[in-house]
Amino acid sequence: MNYEAPLTSLVWITSSFSFAFTYIVSSMIIPTLGGDTSQWWKLATNYFVWHLAGAIIPELGKVFTSTESRHVEKSSGPPKKAALPRHPFLDS
């Protein structure tokens, strides 16, 4: 079972809502900023890009950290116990 799927779905659903909500609220709150009527969508787009990066970066990280990733599936079991290094002064 993929335990990450519900969280991934939740991230994309809330991100989609946030994207739409940002444009709607920005157009209502700041229709003109400093006499320029195009500032609201520029600010909303700036927020959209940063928020999109915040949603995509964890997805890219799952390539390396997911239990479903290819390199994890290649693992042949638990790691071998490593030998501890000897201390030159204490281990005589």
Side-chain angles (χ1 to χ4, degrees):
M1 179 176 181
N2 185 358
Y3 295 102
E4 298 166 349
L7 182 58
T8 299
S9 298
L10 180 64
V11 166
W12 287 110
I13 290 168
T14 56
S15 294
S16 300
F17 177 76
S18 177
F19 298 151
F21 192 71
T22 298
Y23 281 97
I24 292 168
V25 171
S26 294
S27 68
M28 293 186 323
I29 291 179
I30 50 172
T32 58
L33 190 62
D36 187 1
T37 58
S38 67
Q39 288 294 331
W40 71 268
W41 68 265
K42 293 175 185 175
L43 291 170
T45 301
N46 187 13
Y47 175 79
F48 168 80
V49 170
W50 284 105
H51 193 86
L52 186 62
I56 290 175
I57 289 171
E59 293 298 315
L60 295 174
K62 283 198 321 188
V63 171
F64 303 104
T65 60
S66 173
T67 57
E68 304 276 327
S69 65
R70 191 170 37 187
H71 74 278
V72 172
E73 291 174 1
K74 289 182 187 177
S75 177
S76 61
K80 297 177 184 174
K81 187 175 180 181
L84 296 174
R86 295 179 55 96
H87 192 280
F89 300 116
L90 298 178
D91 295 333
S92 303

